[in-house]
Amino acid sequence: MVNGQLTYMSRCLQLALNGEIGAPPNPMVGAVIVADDRIIGEGFHARCGQPHAEVNAFASVRPEDRHLLPQSTLYVSLEPCAHQGKTPPCADLIISKGVKRVVVGCLDPFAKVSGRGVQKLRDAGIDVTVGVMEEECRYLNRRFITFHTKHRPYIILKWAQTPDGVMGVKGERLMISSPCTLRHVHHLRATSSAILVGWRTNQSDRPSLTTRHYSGPNPVRIVYDSHTQSIPDLLGDLYRRSLQSLLVEGGAATHRQFLDLGLWDEIHQEIGARSENGQCSMVNGQSISAPDLSHLTPHHTIQMGTHHINIYINNQ
């Protein structure tokens, strides 16, 4: 049964990712209904304000399979809600459908849920298991969870550098990213609530900070000036504005400030050639060094042609 639980929870996670763009600020959630070792229904939360994963899963059950619901198991990647929001409580729906067993990936840290959904199901006599693929389920909704537990946005630092550690040149614009890695960056933008650059980078590069290479909404643009607002104050302001995640794209001094404060959750360090032909003129200025991450170990690495992106996760 353990292997079966992993299989069906993996499917929940796969389904949940379909809501990556539309679900926020709600979490991404996938749900699977299983009877006699067969999936009879599945769904995901597609867009904030629309039906939750459990609702869509029950709606997908064919009429000829509905008699199986009382003997079925519902797998869901995140604890079902127990409060009235934009949609009715999913816990009530599950109880009304007569399901006898529910397997939950991880608890919901949102104060209005936070264990109440599981307790409501158990009070109704439903057998509930919690913690199947918990680490993977929490990682999927790391932005949502960080926002509600640390009361600040989830922070991603991103920069591109050459193999010898150069991320910029004073007096000229250094293009390191390839078309493939640009799409990766714009995917990060599309899944981030806000994007930040330092005022020097904004003045020198005039970056658009849009999602033109990926289909998704543009993040809220933030230009940071250390002389007028501290990073903790800025994060507090973003939290009050309900911006769940922050992508920091530079420059070097701004990245180092976040690193020195330990205020980061994820780093995307792209390493590639200095330019498409592997050359970069430094006639007009001197090189700018990327932050030194030699004391950290990448969580994993993504290979993209001749470039690769090291992903670091802050476990502190």
Side-chain angles (χ1 to χ4, degrees):
M1 191 61 188
V2 172
N3 288 337
Q5 287 185 345
L6 298 179
T7 298
Y8 297 128
M9 191 58 71
S10 293
R11 178 57 179 163
C12 288
L13 292 172
Q14 186 181 44
L15 288 165
L17 274 173
N18 289 309
E20 183 179 45
I21 298 296
N26 285 354
M28 295 175 277
V29 184
V32 171
I33 304 170
V34 179
D36 297 330
D37 293 325
R38 178 171 64 89
I39 293 177
I40 63 171
E42 60 182 27
F44 63 92
H45 182 41
R47 189 167 296 278
C48 183
Q50 293 184 3
H52 288 186
E54 299 92 326
V55 176
N56 291 327
F58 283 117
S60 75
V61 178
R62 297 180 301 177
E64 59 266 34
D65 286 333
R66 288 174 188 163
H67 72 282
L68 297 172
L69 287 176
Q71 63 193 64
S72 66
T73 297
L74 169 68
Y75 292 83
V76 60
S77 56
L78 187 70
E79 177 183 13
C81 62
H83 68 291
Q84 176 70 49
K86 292 182 179 179
T87 58
C90 289
D92 290 353
L93 174 66
I94 296 168
I95 294 168
S96 72
K97 293 295 183 180
V99 172
K100 296 303 181 185
R101 185 165 181 263
V102 175
V103 178
V104 177
C106 66
L107 295 178
D108 188 334
F110 184 49
K112 290 184 178 180
V113 184
S114 195
R116 292 179 175 86
V118 165
Q119 191 58 52
K120 194 168 195 177
L121 295 176
R122 286 174 172 160
D123 289 345
I126 297 174
D127 177 20
V128 182
T129 300
V130 179
V132 175
M133 295 186 70
E134 182 175 12
E135 183 178 346
E136 292 86 348
C137 291
R138 289 181 62 84
Y139 184 76
L140 175 73
N141 281 307
R142 56 198 182 279
R143 294 167 173 81
F144 176 83
I145 290 173
T146 295
F147 182 82
H148 287 289
T149 57
K150 296 188 176 181
H151 306 293
R152 64 161 174 79
Y154 186 88
I155 303 166
I156 302 173
L157 310 183
K158 184 273 163 189
W159 67 81
Q161 66 180 70
T162 64
D164 55 352
V166 173
M167 69 180 297
V169 176
K170 293 180 181 178
E172 62 180 283
R173 190 167 185 175
L174 176 61
M175 288 300 297
I176 297 174
S177 296
S178 68
C180 188
T181 58
L182 272 177
R183 182 170 172 80
H184 173 80
V185 173
H186 287 224
H187 176 211
L188 284 178
R189 292 179 180 180
T191 54
S192 297
S193 307
I195 187 168
L196 179 148
V197 292
W199 72 271
R200 289 186 186 276
T201 298
N202 186 60
Q203 288 292 107
S204 61
D205 292 350
R206 297 292 181 184
S208 63
L209 305 178
T210 62
T211 57
R212 58 195 181 277
H213 295 299
Y214 195 89
S215 179
N218 293 322
V220 174
R221 181 190 181 104
I222 308 291
V223 177
Y224 171 65
D225 183 352
S226 61
H227 297 97
T228 60
Q229 191 173 52
S230 70
I231 289 176
D233 286 342
L234 171 67
L235 297 178
D237 179 61
L238 297 181
Y239 176 77
R240 288 187 290 273
R241 293 167 63 182
S242 297
L243 297 173
Q244 282 190 2
S245 55
L246 175 66
L247 176 61
V248 180
E249 286 205 21
T254 299
H255 279 129
R256 288 191 179 93
Q257 288 184 57
F258 277 87
L259 288 166
D260 289 345
L261 290 169
L263 286 171
W264 64 276
D265 298 291
E266 201 168 306
I267 298 173
H268 289 233
Q269 176 198 43
E270 177 185 343
I271 299 179
R274 290 186 174 180
S275 67
E276 288 189 5
N277 61 6
Q279 301 294 321
C280 176
S281 170
M282 295 189 185
V283 172
N284 297 322
Q286 64 188 63
S287 64
I288 300 172
S289 297
D292 180 14
L293 300 182
S294 59
H295 60 294
L296 300 176
T297 301
H299 179 269
H300 63 281
T301 297
I302 304 172
Q303 191 69 42
M304 293 187 171
T306 58
H307 294 227
H308 66 274
I309 300 175
N310 293 323
I311 312 295
Y312 297 83
I313 304 295
N314 191 348
N315 294 317
Q316 298 301 315

